[in-house]
Amino acid sequence: MNPRPIRTRLRIAVTIALLPVLSLTACGSGDTSGTTPAGAQASPAPTDDPVAAVRKVDSAAALLPADVRQAGTLRVGSSVGFPPGAYYPNGQDKPPAGQDIDIADAVAKVLGVRLERQDASFETILPALGSGKYDFGTGNFGVTTERLKTIDFVTYINDGQGFAVKTGNTALGKKVTDLTQLCGLTIGTGAGTTFEATLTAQKGVCAKAGRKPYDVKVYSENAATLTALQQGRIDVVMSTINGLRYQAAQPASQTTFLGEFHRLDVGFAFKKGSPLTKAFQAAVNELIKDGTYARILSKWGTSASAIDTSRINPPEHT
């Protein structure tokens, strides 16, 4: 028997086994897109349900506009792509799970409304808020000075920007603290993200340092970014701190997290001047006060990103 077909089948089997992990790359501190590859199953979701015990809080619900209270529903544009933020643990025909899903569902219960969740790619959600397609958006949206010009935010976590490499790549050391460390390398990141904006805005740093510029490759799906890293088409990934840390903890991903680069507040996104922000802020603060918030973050391993109080439109971290 020719052993080559057997080896071929083994390679195919290994590739299929890795597909769930390839969907884990995070794309956005305010910035996620991408879905689990067809036929793949992502990591199982934790089974505890801290949202189940949440009840309506009349004082917070009273802050909603009368027409919203009467309708009893809110439309949310939701970018679902990777754990621990939001992903499909059981396939796209089943409900999504994740930290962002739990927090949004808990806020809705505090406010006594039902969510109509509409999946959307990350880069389409913020523009759609102004047109009224969604009442608010979720997707690990980072609060930046530029976004604050057209979007209102209600914060619920502190995440941010980080880097990861393929395990065994020691060219960048153990941490990226300055973008000049990336000079001459190819960086993969997500479309429409704060990462893409940061890399584009700072592209001149290498020339100023007398070094070869870095190259940026943008991907619309998270799985494609990680595949490119594993295949050597990019040298490093820039994405969310929590997403990259989670990914690196999965042995099959074969990635190493290179630490935090820039922290960002993350929040629910609304059109500018939305009458919903005060109600959402009150709801998040109720969840912080009663302990539900801490239980949700503990469930998803993101307790280090907890905030003490929700804010409306805080300035970008410097």
Side-chain angles (χ1 to χ4, degrees):
M1 180 182 291
N2 187 341
R4 185 170 299 172
I6 295 176
R7 288 196 296 267
T8 300
R9 289 196 295 272
L10 286 173
R11 284 195 297 270
I12 292 172
V14 170
T15 301
I16 292 172
L18 283 173
L19 278 176
V21 180
L22 298 184
S23 69
L24 300 183
T25 303
C27 238
S29 225
D31 348 51
T32 79
S33 65
T35 55
T36 304
Q41 292 245 325
S43 302
T47 55
D48 51 319
D49 186 7
V51 180
V54 177
R55 298 291 180 264
K56 180 180 178 182
V57 178
D58 290 338
S59 59
L63 297 173
L64 287 171
D67 60 334
V68 174
R69 294 199 305 273
Q70 183 174 2
T73 59
L74 288 171
R75 296 160 299 162
V76 51
S78 182
S79 177
V80 180
F82 64 91
Y87 71 118
Y88 291 104
N90 302 303
Q92 288 182 262
D93 59 336
K94 300 293 192 301
Q99 165 199 276
D100 289 0
I101 302 297
D102 280 354
I103 293 177
D105 287 348
V107 164
K109 292 185 75 171
V110 169
L111 298 178
V113 297
R114 183 174 61 87
L115 296 184
E116 293 180 355
R117 183 171 280 111
Q118 300 177 34
D119 288 3
S121 60
F122 166 78
E123 64 270 22
T124 66
I125 293 175
L126 297 186
L129 293 173
S131 69
K133 183 176 182 179
Y134 312 121
D135 295 306
F136 71 103
T138 64
N140 210 53
F141 289 106
V143 180
T144 67
T145 301
E146 187 62 28
R147 286 178 176 162
L148 284 169
K149 295 175 183 178
T150 57
I151 300 294
D152 281 340
F153 289 96
V154 173
T155 62
Y156 61 85
I157 201 167
N158 183 263
D159 196 346
Q161 304 173 332
F163 293 92
V165 294
K166 185 175 180 180
T167 298
N169 182 348
T170 59
L172 290 171
K174 294 184 178 181
K175 187 170 183 177
V176 174
T177 58
D178 192 295
L179 293 183
T180 57
Q181 292 174 250
L182 306 176
C183 296
L185 301 180
T186 301
I187 309 150
T189 196
T193 64
T194 62
F195 318 120
E196 182 186 12
T198 295
L199 293 169
T200 300
Q202 299 295 321
K203 203 158 190 179
V205 298
C206 294
K208 291 179 182 177
R211 301 178 62 184
K212 182 180 177 182
Y214 54 71
D215 184 35
V216 180
K217 291 190 180 299
V218 177
Y219 298 88
S220 59
E221 293 189 358
N222 299 304
T225 311
L226 184 54
T227 300
L229 182 69
Q230 301 294 12
Q231 294 179 350
R233 289 183 280 119
I234 58 177
D235 301 299
V236 59
V237 172
M238 187 179 189
S239 192
T240 66
I241 293 167
N242 286 336
L244 292 178
R245 184 178 280 126
Y246 182 99
Q247 175 185 281
Q250 317 304 312
S253 74
Q254 301 176 46
T255 62
T256 298
F257 178 55
L258 297 184
E260 301 177 7
F261 178 71
H262 178 52
R263 277 277 174 177
L264 283 173
D265 287 312
V266 170
F268 297 112
F270 305 83
K271 69 179 181 180
K272 206 67 181 172
S274 171
L276 299 173
T277 56
K278 289 185 178 180
F280 270 68
Q281 180 190 32
V284 174
N285 285 331
E286 285 288 341
L287 296 171
I288 292 172
K289 183 173 67 174
D290 72 14
T292 301
Y293 175 78
R295 289 191 290 274
I296 291 173
L297 268 57
S298 177
K299 170 183 176 180
W300 295 105
T302 57
S303 298
S305 288
I307 58 174
D308 295 327
T309 187
S310 176
R311 295 191 292 168
I312 297 173
N313 296 339
E316 179 179 354
H317 287 296
T318 57

